[in-house]
Amino acid sequence: MGYENIRNATRIERETEPITMSFHLPSNITAQRKPINATTYAYILHHSELGQLGQILLSACVTGRCNVTSLVHGHPGDQMTERRRVVFEPLARTFAEQIQLEKNFS
């Protein structure tokens, strides 16, 4: 299964230091953080009933900005993808908003 509908990257002004933040998930959702490279992490969200919801990619840039990109797991038009989207999109939006409020990420 692939990722459907790559969303536009959200550009957020940041200082060049790492970003630390607390992000609380509902009890039926878990997240795994995987480093992609020295400046990019993937947060993979998994729902206890819907399976993998999608991933949030967080990339720090040397310019002091960071990109947050969210990807819903599944295929266009698939009913399960739409169910995942309903759960995933608010979480991804909250994550991006939290990044805007924080100074660091790690």
Side-chain angles (χ1 to χ4, degrees), residues 1 3 23-34 42-56 71-73 80 83-85 87-89 91-92:
M1 219 177 205
Y3 287 93
F23 183 67
H24 301 285
L25 294 170
S27 60
N28 60 344
I29 297 175
T30 58
Q32 178 184 15
R33 184 177 113 168
K34 291 178 126 179
Y43 293 82
I44 301 165
L45 277 61
H46 188 272
H47 188 276
S48 60
E49 295 176 19
L50 300 175
Q52 187 169 332
L53 294 173
Q55 59 180 305
I56 301 167
L71 302 104
V72 176
H73 188 70
M80 185 60 82
R83 290 179 61 199
R84 289 181 183 120
R85 182 187 316 284
V87 176
F88 178 73
E89 283 188 346
L91 294 172

Side-chain angles (χ1 to χ4, degrees), residues 1 17-18 20 22 32 37 55 61 72 88 92-93 100 103-104 106:
M1 219 177 205
E17 62 200 44
T20 34
S22 60
Q32 178 184 15
N37 59 43
Q55 59 180 305
C61 302
V72 176
F88 178 73
R93 191 172 21 262
Q100 290 177 338
K103 288 186 176 183
N104 305 309
S106 63

